């Protein structure tokens, strides 16, 4: 299923937050992504309606299997591409920024080819982009 880049960003950020926080709330996403509360609220409703996230009665957000699959795919691309760009000599800040855009537009075929060609490279374990 093809989803919008913004939805991929939300899912990726939920995944990143869940790596450091036991429980993720909308306000955590607001702070991390530097967005307004209403914007995040609308996005969470859409993600919930489309089966990508669950939100319990206390407002804690968890990824459903479909949401986790997308989030992990985007996060892997982000990590790999940002490290690859740095290995090419791009500054860290620019590599992170560019990776945030590139991760959404590469086809699976192209990403697999890049990954195969440059396999064995280790990610430096960044927190991803905002």
């Amino acid at each position: 299923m093809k989803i919008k880049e913004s939805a991929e960003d939300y899912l990726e950020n939920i995944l990143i937050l869940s790596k450091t926080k036991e429980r993720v709330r909308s306000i955590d996403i607001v702070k991390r992504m530097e967005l307004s509360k209403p914007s995040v609220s609308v996005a969470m409703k859409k993600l919930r309606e489309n089966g990508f996230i669950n939100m319990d009665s206390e407002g804690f957000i968890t990824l459903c299997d479909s949401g986790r699959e997308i989030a992990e795919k985007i996060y892997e691309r982000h990590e790999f591409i940002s490290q690859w760009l740095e290995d090419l000599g791009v500054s860290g800040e620019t590599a992170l920024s560019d990776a945030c855009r590139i991760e959404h537009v590469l086809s699976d075929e192209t990403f697999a080819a890049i990954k195969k060609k440059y396999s064995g490279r280790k990610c430096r374990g960044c927190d991803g982009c905002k």
Side-chain angles (χ1 to χ4, degrees), residues 1 3 7 11 14 42-55 61-71:
M1 167 189 279
I3 68 168
L11 295 170
I14 293 167
V42 168
M44 293 305 103
K45 180 180 179 191
K46 288 179 183 177
L47 290 172
R48 193 173 60 250
E49 289 173 348
N50 287 297
F52 295 115
I53 65 167
N54 285 317
M55 187 177 293
I61 300 165
T62 55
L63 293 167
C64 295
D65 289 342
S66 60
R68 179 169 296 284
E69 183 179 327
I70 293 165

Side-chain angles (χ1 to χ4, degrees), residues 117-128:
K117 175 78 174 174
Y118 295 94
S119 64
R121 306 236 191 271
K122 293 185 178 179
C123 178
R124 69 194 178 301
C126 69
D127 285 336

Side-chain angles (χ1 to χ4, degrees), residues 38-87:
S39 295
V40 172
S41 179
V42 168
M44 293 305 103
K45 180 180 179 191
K46 288 179 183 177
L47 290 172
R48 193 173 60 250
E49 289 173 348
N50 287 297
F52 295 115
I53 65 167
N54 285 317
M55 187 177 293
D56 69 17
S57 60
E58 296 178 48
F60 294 112
I61 300 165
T62 55
L63 293 167
C64 295
D65 289 342
S66 60
R68 179 169 296 284
E69 183 179 327
I70 293 165
E72 288 176 350
K73 175 182 174 181
I74 295 300
Y75 186 67
E76 176 193 20
R77 286 174 177 228
H78 175 86
E79 293 287 299
F80 188 90
I81 293 165
S82 61
Q83 183 60 57
W84 176 57
L85 292 172
E86 282 194 46
D87 289 349

